[in-house]
Amino acid sequence: MQIRDTKLLCATKAFDHVLASVAPQADSGKKAAIGGGPSGMAAAYYLARLGVQTTIYEKRDRLGGIVSAVIPDFRIDDSQIAKDAALLKQLGVEVLCGKEAPPVAELTQSYDAVILAVGAYKLTAGQNGICLRMNTSCCLHWRMVWSLRSC
């Protein structure tokens, strides 16, 4: 018996039951996630479960990030990512695919916090007016002074 296969079987069989029972708690703020890969989706899921209004900004035409772009279907196919997206929808997460996020300064006017879940690539000068040099999948900003230098 392989644990991976057992977990997959449980996840596959239980999905519909879990989806029907998932609901957000009472409203408690408004957050934005820049990036719809695993980090952005996970952050949005857990925030929404806590009752936080959450919006994901994803520049590609679909959620999933590196998982949907690089990992082969025999490992994890797009239907599994679609199930994760369905959970987000059920929780009321707003997903904006196919468009760049507004500048961070603009987002902080509308949201309590901004989560940068941009993956492991580097933004260059001119993108959102900031210069990020990171090899991390998630950075949090909770109404703090940005420590990013201007490009």
Side-chain angles (χ1 to χ4, degrees), residues 48-141:
R49 287 292 302 258
L50 293 172
V52 177
Q53 265 188 327
T54 308
T55 302
I56 296 176
Y57 290 89
E58 171 55 48
K59 71 178 180 178
R60 294 185 178 156
D61 63 346
R62 61 186 173 154
L63 294 176
I66 198 74
V67 174
S68 64
V70 175
I71 297 177
D73 283 347
F74 72 87
R75 282 285 195 204
I76 183 168
D77 63 48
D78 289 340
S79 68
Q80 300 305 316
I81 298 166
K83 286 183 176 182
D84 289 343
L87 279 173
L88 295 175
K89 183 178 180 182
Q90 180 74 17
L91 287 167
V93 173
E94 181 180 10
V95 178
L96 303 174
C97 288
K99 65 184 280 185
E100 293 272 339
V104 172
E106 187 178 317
L107 288 172
T108 57
Q109 300 299 312
S110 302
Y111 296 95
D112 304 332
V114 175
I115 301 162
L116 299 178
V118 297
Y121 72 94
K122 296 175 184 172
L123 291 176
T124 58
Q127 289 177 292
N128 285 336
I130 58 173
C131 184
L132 280 179
R133 288 181 175 76
M134 59 174 21
N135 287 316
T136 180
S137 56
C138 191
C139 250
L140 298 176
H141 166 59

Coordinates of all heavy atoms in Angstrom, one line a residue, residues 48-141:
A48 N -10.0 33.3 3.2 CA -11.5 33.2 3.0 C -12.2 32.3 4.1 O -13.3 32.6 4.5 CB -11.8 32.6 1.6
R49 N -11.5 31.2 4.5 CA -12.1 30.4 5.5 C -12.3 31.2 6.8 O -13.1 30.9 7.6 CB -11.2 29.2 5.8 CG -11.2 28.1 4.8 CD -12.5 27.3 4.7 NE -13.0 26.7 5.9 CZ -12.9 25.4 6.1 NH1 -12.3 24.6 5.3 NH2 -13.3 24.9 7.3
L50 N -11.4 32.2 7.0 CA -11.5 33.0 8.2 C -12.5 34.2 8.0 O -12.6 35.0 8.9 CB -10.1 33.6 8.6 CG -9.1 32.6 9.0 CD1 -7.7 33.2 9.2 CD2 -9.6 31.9 10.4
G51 N -13.1 34.3 6.9 CA -14.1 35.3 6.6 C -13.5 36.6 6.0 O -14.2 37.6 5.9
V52 N -12.3 36.5 5.5 CA -11.7 37.6 4.9 C -12.0 37.7 3.4 O -11.9 36.7 2.7 CB -10.1 37.6 5.0 CG1 -9.5 38.7 4.3 CG2 -9.8 37.5 6.5
Q53 N -12.6 38.8 2.9 CA -12.8 39.0 1.5 C -11.5 39.0 0.8 O -10.6 39.8 1.1 CB -13.5 40.4 1.3 CG -14.9 40.4 1.2 CD -15.4 41.8 0.8 OE1 -14.8 42.8 1.1 NE2 -16.5 41.8 0.0
T54 N -11.3 38.2 -0.2 CA -10.0 38.0 -0.8 C -10.1 38.0 -2.3 O -11.1 37.5 -2.9 CB -9.3 36.7 -0.4 OG1 -9.3 36.6 1.0 CG2 -7.9 36.6 -0.9
T55 N -9.2 38.7 -3.0 CA -9.1 38.8 -4.4 C -7.8 38.3 -4.9 O -6.8 38.7 -4.3 CB -9.3 40.3 -4.9 OG1 -10.6 40.7 -4.5 CG2 -9.3 40.3 -6.5
I56 N -7.7 37.4 -5.9 CA -6.5 37.0 -6.5 C -6.3 37.7 -7.8 O -7.2 37.7 -8.6 CB -6.5 35.5 -6.7 CG1 -6.5 34.7 -5.4 CG2 -5.2 35.0 -7.5 CD1 -6.6 33.2 -5.5
Y57 N -5.1 38.3 -8.0 CA -4.8 38.8 -9.3 C -3.8 37.9 -10.0 O -2.7 37.7 -9.4 CB -4.1 40.2 -9.2 CG -5.1 41.3 -8.7 CD1 -5.3 41.5 -7.4 CD2 -5.8 42.1 -9.6 CE1 -6.2 42.5 -6.9 CE2 -6.7 43.0 -9.2 CZ -6.9 43.2 -7.9 OH -7.8 44.2 -7.5
E58 N -4.1 37.3 -11.1 CA -3.2 36.4 -11.8 C -3.0 36.8 -13.2 O -4.0 37.0 -14.0 CB -3.8 35.0 -11.8 CG -3.1 33.9 -12.7 CD -1.6 33.8 -12.4 OE1 -1.2 33.7 -11.2 OE2 -0.8 33.9 -13.4
K59 N -1.8 37.1 -13.6 CA -1.6 37.6 -15.0 C -1.8 36.6 -16.1 O -2.0 36.9 -17.2 CB -0.2 38.2 -15.1 CG 1.0 37.2 -15.0 CD 2.3 38.0 -15.2 CE 3.4 37.0 -15.2 NZ 4.7 37.7 -15.3
R60 N -1.7 35.3 -15.8 CA -1.9 34.3 -16.8 C -3.4 34.1 -16.9 O -4.2 34.5 -16.1 CB -1.2 33.0 -16.4 CG 0.3 33.1 -16.4 CD 1.0 31.8 -16.2 NE 2.4 32.0 -16.3 CZ 3.3 31.3 -15.7 NH1 2.9 30.3 -15.0 NH2 4.6 31.6 -15.8
D61 N -3.8 33.3 -17.9 CA -5.3 33.1 -18.1 C -5.9 32.0 -17.2 O -7.1 31.8 -17.3 CB -5.5 32.7 -19.6 CG -4.8 31.3 -19.9 OD1 -4.0 30.9 -19.2 OD2 -5.2 30.8 -21.0
R62 N -5.1 31.4 -16.3 CA -5.7 30.5 -15.4 C -4.9 30.4 -14.1 O -3.7 30.8 -14.1 CB -5.8 29.1 -16.0 CG -4.5 28.5 -16.4 CD -4.6 27.3 -17.2 NE -3.3 26.9 -17.7 CZ -3.0 25.7 -18.0 NH1 -3.8 24.7 -17.8 NH2 -1.8 25.4 -18.4
L63 N -5.5 29.9 -13.1 CA -4.8 29.7 -11.8 C -3.8 28.5 -11.9 O -4.0 27.6 -12.8 CB -5.8 29.4 -10.7 CG -6.7 30.6 -10.3 CD1 -7.7 30.2 -9.2 CD2 -5.8 31.8 -9.8
G64 N -2.9 28.4 -11.0 CA -2.1 27.2 -10.9 C -0.6 27.5 -10.9 O 0.2 26.7 -10.4
G65 N -0.2 28.6 -11.5 CA 1.2 28.9 -11.5 C 2.1 27.9 -12.1 O 1.7 27.2 -13.1
I66 N 3.2 27.6 -11.5 CA 4.2 26.7 -12.0 C 3.6 25.3 -12.1 O 4.0 24.5 -13.0 CB 5.5 26.7 -11.2 CG1 6.7 26.1 -11.9 CG2 5.3 26.1 -9.8 CD1 7.2 26.9 -13.0
V67 N 2.7 25.0 -11.2 CA 2.1 23.6 -11.2 C 1.4 23.4 -12.5 O 1.5 22.3 -13.1 CB 1.1 23.5 -10.0 CG1 0.4 22.1 -10.1 CG2 1.9 23.6 -8.7
S68 N 0.6 24.3 -13.0 CA -0.1 24.1 -14.2 C 0.7 24.3 -15.5 O 0.4 23.9 -16.5 CB -1.4 25.0 -14.3 OG -1.0 26.4 -14.3
A69 N 1.8 25.1 -15.3 CA 2.6 25.4 -16.5 C 3.7 24.4 -16.8 O 4.1 24.2 -17.9 CB 3.2 26.8 -16.3
V70 N 4.3 23.8 -15.7 CA 5.5 22.9 -15.9 C 5.3 21.5 -15.5 O 5.8 20.6 -16.2 CB 6.6 23.6 -15.1 CG1 7.9 22.7 -15.1 CG2 7.0 25.0 -15.6
I71 N 4.6 21.2 -14.4 CA 4.4 19.8 -14.0 C 3.6 19.1 -14.9 O 2.5 19.5 -15.3 CB 3.9 19.8 -12.5 CG1 4.9 20.5 -11.6 CG2 3.6 18.4 -12.1 CD1 4.4 20.6 -10.2
P72 N 4.0 17.9 -15.4 CA 3.2 17.1 -16.3 C 1.9 16.6 -15.8 O 1.8 16.4 -14.6 CB 4.2 16.0 -16.7 CG 5.2 15.9 -15.6 CD 5.3 17.2 -15.0
D73 N 0.9 16.4 -16.7 CA -0.4 15.9 -16.3 C -0.4 14.6 -15.6 O -1.3 14.4 -14.7 CB -1.3 15.8 -17.5 CG -1.8 17.2 -18.0 OD1 -1.6 18.2 -17.2 OD2 -2.3 17.3 -19.1
F74 N 0.5 13.7 -15.8 CA 0.5 12.4 -15.1 C 0.8 12.6 -13.6 O 0.5 11.8 -12.8 CB 1.4 11.4 -15.8 CG 2.9 11.6 -15.6 CD1 3.5 11.1 -14.5 CD2 3.6 12.3 -16.6 CE1 4.9 11.3 -14.3 CE2 5.0 12.5 -16.4 CZ 5.6 12.0 -15.3
R75 N 1.5 13.7 -13.3 CA 1.8 14.0 -11.9 C 0.6 14.7 -11.2 O 0.1 14.4 -10.1 CB 3.0 15.0 -11.8 CG 4.3 14.3 -11.9 CD 4.5 13.5 -10.7 NE 5.9 13.1 -10.6 CZ 6.3 12.0 -10.0 NH1 5.4 11.3 -9.3 NH2 7.5 11.7 -10.0
I76 N 0.1 15.8 -11.8 CA -1.1 16.5 -11.3 C -1.7 17.2 -12.6 O -1.1 18.1 -13.2 CB -0.8 17.5 -10.2 CG1 -2.0 18.2 -9.7 CG2 0.2 18.6 -10.7 CD1 -1.8 19.0 -8.4
D77 N -2.9 16.7 -12.9 CA -3.5 17.3 -14.1 C -4.4 18.5 -13.8 O -4.7 18.8 -12.6 CB -4.4 16.2 -14.9 CG -5.5 15.7 -14.1 OD1 -6.3 16.5 -13.5 OD2 -5.7 14.5 -14.1
D78 N -4.8 19.2 -14.8 CA -5.5 20.5 -14.6 C -6.8 20.4 -13.9 O -7.3 21.3 -13.3 CB -5.7 21.2 -16.0 CG -4.4 21.7 -16.6 OD1 -3.4 21.9 -15.8 OD2 -4.3 21.9 -17.8
S79 N -7.4 19.2 -14.0 CA -8.7 19.0 -13.3 C -8.5 19.1 -11.8 O -9.4 19.6 -11.1 CB -9.3 17.6 -13.6 OG -8.5 16.6 -13.1
Q80 N -7.4 18.7 -11.3 CA -7.1 18.9 -9.8 C -7.0 20.4 -9.5 O -7.4 20.8 -8.4 CB -5.8 18.1 -9.4 CG -5.9 16.6 -9.7 CD -7.1 16.0 -9.1 OE1 -7.4 16.2 -7.9 NE2 -7.8 15.1 -9.8
I81 N -6.3 21.1 -10.3 CA -6.2 22.6 -10.1 C -7.6 23.2 -10.2 O -7.9 24.1 -9.4 CB -5.2 23.2 -11.0 CG1 -3.8 22.6 -10.8 CG2 -5.2 24.7 -10.9 CD1 -2.8 22.9 -11.9
A82 N -8.4 22.7 -11.1 CA -9.8 23.3 -11.2 C -10.6 23.0 -10.0 O -11.4 23.8 -9.6 CB -10.4 22.6 -12.4
K83 N -10.3 21.9 -9.3 CA -11.0 21.6 -8.0 C -10.6 22.6 -7.0 O -11.4 23.0 -6.2 CB -10.7 20.2 -7.6 CG -11.5 19.1 -8.4 CD -11.2 17.7 -7.8 CE -12.0 16.7 -8.6 NZ -11.8 15.3 -8.0
D84 N -9.3 22.9 -6.9 CA -8.9 23.9 -6.0 C -9.5 25.3 -6.3 O -9.9 26.0 -5.4 CB -7.4 24.1 -6.0 CG -6.6 22.9 -5.4 OD1 -7.3 22.1 -4.7 OD2 -5.4 22.7 -5.7
A85 N -9.6 25.6 -7.5 CA -10.3 26.8 -7.9 C -11.8 26.8 -7.5 O -12.3 27.9 -7.1 CB -10.1 27.1 -9.4
A86 N -12.4 25.7 -7.6 CA -13.8 25.6 -7.3 C -14.0 25.8 -5.7 O -15.0 26.4 -5.3 CB -14.4 24.2 -7.6
L87 N -13.0 25.3 -5.0 CA -13.1 25.6 -3.5 C -13.0 27.1 -3.3 O -13.7 27.6 -2.4 CB -11.9 24.9 -2.8 CG -12.1 23.4 -2.5 CD1 -10.8 22.8 -1.9 CD2 -13.2 23.2 -1.5
L88 N -12.1 27.8 -4.0 CA -12.0 29.2 -3.8 C -13.3 29.9 -4.2 O -13.7 30.8 -3.5 CB -10.8 29.7 -4.6 CG -9.4 29.2 -4.2 CD1 -8.4 29.7 -5.2 CD2 -9.1 29.6 -2.8
K89 N -13.9 29.5 -5.3 CA -15.1 30.1 -5.7 C -16.2 29.9 -4.7 O -17.0 30.8 -4.4 CB -15.5 29.5 -7.1 CG -16.8 30.1 -7.6 CD -17.1 29.6 -9.0 CE -18.4 30.2 -9.5 NZ -18.8 29.6 -10.8
Q90 N -16.3 28.7 -4.1 CA -17.3 28.4 -3.1 C -17.1 29.3 -1.9 O -18.1 29.6 -1.2 CB -17.2 26.9 -2.7 CG -18.1 26.4 -1.7 CD -19.6 26.3 -2.2 OE1 -19.8 26.2 -3.4 NE2 -20.5 26.2 -1.3
L91 N -15.9 29.6 -1.6 CA -15.6 30.5 -0.4 C -15.8 32.0 -0.7 O -15.6 32.8 0.1 CB -14.2 30.2 0.1 CG -14.0 28.9 0.8 CD1 -12.5 28.6 1.0 CD2 -14.7 29.0 2.2
G92 N -16.1 32.3 -2.0 CA -16.3 33.7 -2.4 C -15.1 34.5 -2.8 O -15.1 35.7 -2.9
V93 N -14.0 33.8 -3.0 CA -12.7 34.4 -3.5 C -13.0 35.0 -4.9 O -13.4 34.2 -5.8 CB -11.5 33.5 -3.4 CG1 -10.3 34.1 -4.0 CG2 -11.3 33.0 -2.0
E94 N -12.6 36.2 -5.1 CA -12.7 36.8 -6.4 C -11.4 36.5 -7.1 O -10.3 36.8 -6.6 CB -12.9 38.3 -6.3 CG -13.0 39.0 -7.7 CD -13.3 40.5 -7.6 OE1 -13.1 41.1 -6.5 OE2 -13.5 41.1 -8.6
V95 N -11.5 35.9 -8.3 CA -10.3 35.6 -9.1 C -10.3 36.4 -10.4 O -11.2 36.3 -11.2 CB -10.2 34.1 -9.4 CG1 -9.0 33.8 -10.3 CG2 -10.2 33.3 -8.1
L96 N -9.2 37.2 -10.6 CA -9.1 38.0 -11.8 C -7.9 37.5 -12.6 O -6.8 37.8 -12.3 CB -8.9 39.5 -11.4 CG -10.0 40.1 -10.5 CD1 -9.6 41.5 -10.1 CD2 -11.3 40.1 -11.2
C97 N -8.2 36.7 -13.6 CA -7.1 36.1 -14.4 C -7.0 36.9 -15.7 O -7.9 37.6 -16.1 CB -7.5 34.7 -14.8 SG -7.4 33.5 -13.4
G98 N -5.8 36.8 -16.2 CA -5.5 37.5 -17.5 C -5.2 39.0 -17.4 O -5.4 39.7 -18.4
K99 N -4.9 39.4 -16.2 CA -4.6 40.9 -16.1 C -3.6 41.1 -15.0 O -3.5 40.4 -14.0 CB -5.8 41.7 -15.9 CG -6.5 41.4 -14.5 CD -7.8 42.2 -14.4 CE -7.5 43.6 -14.0 NZ -8.7 44.4 -13.7
E100 N -2.7 42.0 -15.3 CA -1.7 42.4 -14.3 C -2.4 43.1 -13.1 O -3.4 43.7 -13.2 CB -0.7 43.4 -14.9 CG 0.2 42.8 -16.0 CD 1.4 42.2 -15.4 OE1 1.8 42.5 -14.3 OE2 2.0 41.4 -16.2
A101 N -1.8 42.9 -11.9 CA -2.3 43.6 -10.7 C -2.0 45.0 -10.8 O -1.0 45.4 -11.4 CB -1.7 43.0 -9.5
P102 N -2.9 45.9 -10.2 CA -2.6 47.3 -10.2 C -1.3 47.5 -9.3 O -0.9 46.6 -8.6 CB -3.8 47.9 -9.5 CG -4.9 46.9 -9.6 CD -4.2 45.5 -9.7
P103 N -0.8 48.7 -9.3 CA 0.4 49.0 -8.5 C 0.1 48.7 -7.0 O -1.0 48.9 -6.6 CB 0.7 50.5 -8.8 CG 0.1 50.7 -10.1 CD -1.1 49.8 -10.2
V104 N 1.1 48.3 -6.3 CA 0.9 48.0 -4.8 C 0.3 49.2 -4.1 O -0.6 49.1 -3.3 CB 2.2 47.5 -4.2 CG1 2.0 47.4 -2.7 CG2 2.6 46.2 -4.8
A105 N 0.8 50.4 -4.4 CA 0.3 51.6 -3.8 C -1.2 51.8 -4.0 O -1.9 52.2 -3.1 CB 1.1 52.8 -4.3
E106 N -1.6 51.4 -5.2 CA -3.1 51.5 -5.5 C -3.9 50.4 -4.7 O -4.9 50.7 -4.2 CB -3.3 51.4 -7.0 CG -4.7 51.6 -7.4 CD -4.8 51.5 -9.0 OE1 -3.9 52.0 -9.7 OE2 -5.8 50.8 -9.4
L107 N -3.3 49.2 -4.7 CA -4.0 48.1 -4.0 C -4.1 48.4 -2.5 O -5.2 48.1 -1.9 CB -3.2 46.8 -4.1 CG -3.3 46.2 -5.5 CD1 -2.3 45.0 -5.6 CD2 -4.7 45.8 -5.8
T108 N -3.1 49.1 -1.9 CA -3.2 49.4 -0.4 C -4.3 50.4 -0.1 O -4.7 50.5 1.0 CB -1.9 49.8 0.1 OG1 -1.4 50.9 -0.6 CG2 -0.8 48.7 0.1
Q109 N -4.8 51.1 -1.1 CA -5.9 52.0 -0.9 C -7.2 51.3 -0.8 O -8.2 51.7 -0.1 CB -6.0 53.0 -2.1 CG -4.8 53.9 -2.3 CD -4.5 54.7 -1.1 OE1 -5.4 55.4 -0.5 NE2 -3.2 54.7 -0.7
S110 N -7.3 50.1 -1.4 CA -8.6 49.3 -1.4 C -8.6 48.1 -0.5 O -9.6 47.5 -0.2 CB -8.9 48.8 -2.8 OG -8.9 49.9 -3.7
Y111 N -7.4 47.6 -0.1 CA -7.3 46.4 0.7 C -6.5 46.7 2.0 O -5.6 47.5 2.0 CB -6.5 45.3 -0.1 CG -7.2 44.9 -1.4 CD1 -6.9 45.5 -2.6 CD2 -8.2 43.9 -1.3 CE1 -7.6 45.1 -3.8 CE2 -8.9 43.5 -2.5 CZ -8.6 44.1 -3.7 OH -9.2 43.7 -4.8
D112 N -6.9 45.9 3.0 CA -6.2 46.0 4.3 C -4.8 45.5 4.2 O -3.9 45.9 4.9 CB -6.9 45.1 5.4 CG -8.3 45.4 5.5 OD1 -8.7 46.6 5.3 OD2 -9.1 44.5 5.9
A113 N -4.5 44.5 3.3 CA -3.2 43.9 3.2 C -3.1 43.4 1.8 O -4.1 43.1 1.1 CB -3.0 42.8 4.2
V114 N -1.8 43.3 1.3 CA -1.5 42.7 0.0 C -0.5 41.6 0.2 O 0.5 41.8 0.9 CB -0.9 43.8 -0.9 CG1 -0.4 43.2 -2.2 CG2 -1.9 45.0 -1.1
I115 N -0.8 40.5 -0.4 CA 0.1 39.3 -0.3 C 0.8 39.2 -1.7 O 0.1 39.1 -2.7 CB -0.7 38.0 0.0 CG1 -1.4 38.2 1.3 CG2 0.2 36.8 0.0 CD1 -2.5 37.2 1.5
L116 N 2.1 39.2 -1.7 CA 2.8 39.0 -2.9 C 3.2 37.5 -3.0 O 4.1 37.1 -2.3 CB 4.1 39.9 -2.9 CG 3.9 41.4 -2.8 CD1 5.3 42.1 -2.8 CD2 3.1 41.9 -4.0
A117 N 2.5 36.8 -3.9 CA 2.8 35.4 -4.1 C 3.2 35.3 -5.5 O 2.5 34.6 -6.3 CB 1.5 34.6 -3.7
V118 N 4.3 35.9 -5.9 CA 4.7 36.0 -7.3 C 5.6 34.9 -7.8 O 6.0 35.0 -8.9 CB 5.3 37.4 -7.6 CG1 4.3 38.5 -7.3 CG2 6.5 37.6 -6.7
G119 N 5.8 33.9 -6.9 CA 6.7 32.8 -7.4 C 8.2 33.2 -7.3 O 8.6 34.1 -6.6
A120 N 9.0 32.5 -8.0 CA 10.4 32.5 -7.9 C 11.1 33.3 -9.0 O 12.2 33.1 -9.3 CB 11.0 31.1 -7.8
Y121 N 10.3 34.2 -9.6 CA 11.0 35.0 -10.7 C 11.2 36.4 -10.2 O 10.7 36.8 -9.2 CB 10.2 34.9 -12.0 CG 8.9 35.7 -11.9 CD1 8.8 37.0 -12.4 CD2 7.7 35.1 -11.4 CE1 7.7 37.7 -12.3 CE2 6.5 35.9 -11.4 CZ 6.5 37.2 -11.8 OH 5.4 37.9 -11.8
K122 N 11.9 37.2 -11.0 CA 12.2 38.5 -10.6 C 11.4 39.5 -11.4 O 11.3 39.4 -12.6 CB 13.7 38.8 -10.8 CG 14.6 37.9 -9.9 CD 16.0 38.1 -10.2 CE 16.8 37.1 -9.4 NZ 18.2 37.1 -9.8
L123 N 10.8 40.5 -10.7 CA 10.1 41.6 -11.4 C 11.2 42.6 -11.8 O 12.2 42.7 -11.1 CB 9.2 42.3 -10.4 CG 7.9 41.5 -10.0 CD1 7.1 42.3 -9.0 CD2 7.1 41.2 -11.2
T124 N 11.0 43.3 -12.8 CA 12.0 44.2 -13.3 C 11.4 45.6 -13.1 O 10.2 45.8 -12.9 CB 12.4 44.0 -14.8 OG1 11.2 44.1 -15.6 CG2 13.0 42.6 -14.9
A125 N 12.3 46.6 -13.3 CA 11.8 48.0 -13.2 C 10.6 48.3 -14.1 O 10.6 47.8 -15.2 CB 13.0 48.9 -13.6
G126 N 9.7 49.0 -13.6 CA 8.5 49.4 -14.3 C 7.3 48.5 -14.1 O 6.2 49.0 -14.3
Q127 N 7.5 47.3 -13.5 CA 6.3 46.5 -13.2 C 5.8 46.9 -11.8 O 6.5 46.8 -10.8 CB 6.7 45.0 -13.2 CG 7.0 44.5 -14.6 CD 7.4 43.1 -14.5 OE1 8.5 42.8 -14.0 NE2 6.6 42.2 -15.0
N128 N 4.6 47.5 -11.8 CA 4.0 47.9 -10.6 C 4.7 49.0 -9.9 O 4.5 49.3 -8.7 CB 3.7 46.8 -9.6 CG 2.5 46.0 -10.1 OD1 1.7 46.4 -10.9 ND2 2.5 44.7 -9.7
G129 N 5.7 49.6 -10.5 CA 6.5 50.7 -9.9 C 7.4 50.3 -8.8 O 7.9 51.1 -8.1
I130 N 7.7 49.0 -8.7 CA 8.6 48.5 -7.7 C 9.6 47.6 -8.3 O 9.5 47.1 -9.4 CB 7.8 47.8 -6.5 CG1 7.1 46.6 -7.1 CG2 6.9 48.7 -5.8 CD1 6.4 45.7 -6.1
C131 N 10.6 47.3 -7.5 CA 11.7 46.4 -8.0 C 11.8 45.3 -6.9 O 12.2 45.6 -5.8 CB 13.0 47.1 -8.1 SG 14.3 46.1 -8.8
L132 N 11.4 44.1 -7.2 CA 11.5 43.0 -6.3 C 12.6 42.0 -6.8 O 12.6 41.6 -7.9 CB 10.2 42.2 -6.3 CG 9.0 42.7 -5.5 CD1 7.9 41.7 -5.7 CD2 9.4 42.8 -4.1
R133 N 13.4 41.7 -5.9 CA 14.4 40.6 -6.1 C 14.2 39.6 -5.1 O 14.7 39.7 -4.0 CB 15.8 41.2 -6.1 CG 16.1 42.1 -7.3 CD 17.5 42.7 -7.3 NE 17.7 43.4 -8.5 CZ 17.3 44.6 -8.8 NH1 16.5 45.2 -7.9 NH2 17.6 45.2 -9.9
M134 N 13.4 38.6 -5.4 CA 13.1 37.6 -4.4 C 13.1 36.2 -5.1 O 12.9 36.0 -6.2 CB 11.7 37.8 -3.8 CG 10.6 37.8 -4.9 SD 8.9 38.0 -4.3 CE 9.0 38.6 -2.7
N135 N 13.5 35.2 -4.3 CA 13.4 33.8 -4.7 C 12.6 33.1 -3.6 O 12.9 32.1 -3.2 CB 14.8 33.2 -4.8 CG 15.5 33.7 -6.0 OD1 14.9 33.8 -7.1 ND2 16.8 34.1 -5.9
T136 N 11.5 33.7 -3.3 CA 10.6 33.1 -2.3 C 9.2 33.2 -2.9 O 8.9 34.0 -3.8 CB 10.6 33.9 -1.0 OG1 9.7 33.3 -0.1 CG2 10.3 35.4 -1.2
S137 N 8.3 32.3 -2.5 CA 7.0 32.3 -3.1 C 5.9 33.1 -2.4 O 4.9 33.3 -2.9 CB 6.5 30.8 -3.1 OG 6.5 30.3 -1.8
C138 N 6.2 33.7 -1.3 CA 5.2 34.5 -0.6 C 5.8 35.5 0.3 O 6.6 35.2 1.1 CB 4.2 33.6 0.1 SG 2.7 34.4 0.7
C139 N 5.4 36.7 0.1 CA 5.8 37.8 1.0 C 4.5 38.5 1.5 O 3.6 38.7 0.8 CB 6.5 38.9 0.2 SG 8.2 39.0 0.6
L140 N 4.4 38.8 2.8 CA 3.2 39.4 3.3 C 3.5 40.9 3.7 O 4.6 41.2 4.1 CB 2.8 38.7 4.6 CG 2.4 37.2 4.5 CD1 2.1 36.6 5.8 CD2 1.3 37.0 3.5
H141 N 2.5 41.7 3.5 CA 2.5 43.1 3.8 C 1.3 43.4 4.6 O 0.2 43.4 4.0 CB 2.6 44.0 2.6 CG 2.4 45.4 2.9 ND1 3.2 46.1 3.7 CD2 1.5 46.3 2.4 CE1 2.7 47.4 3.8 NE2 1.7 47.5 3.0

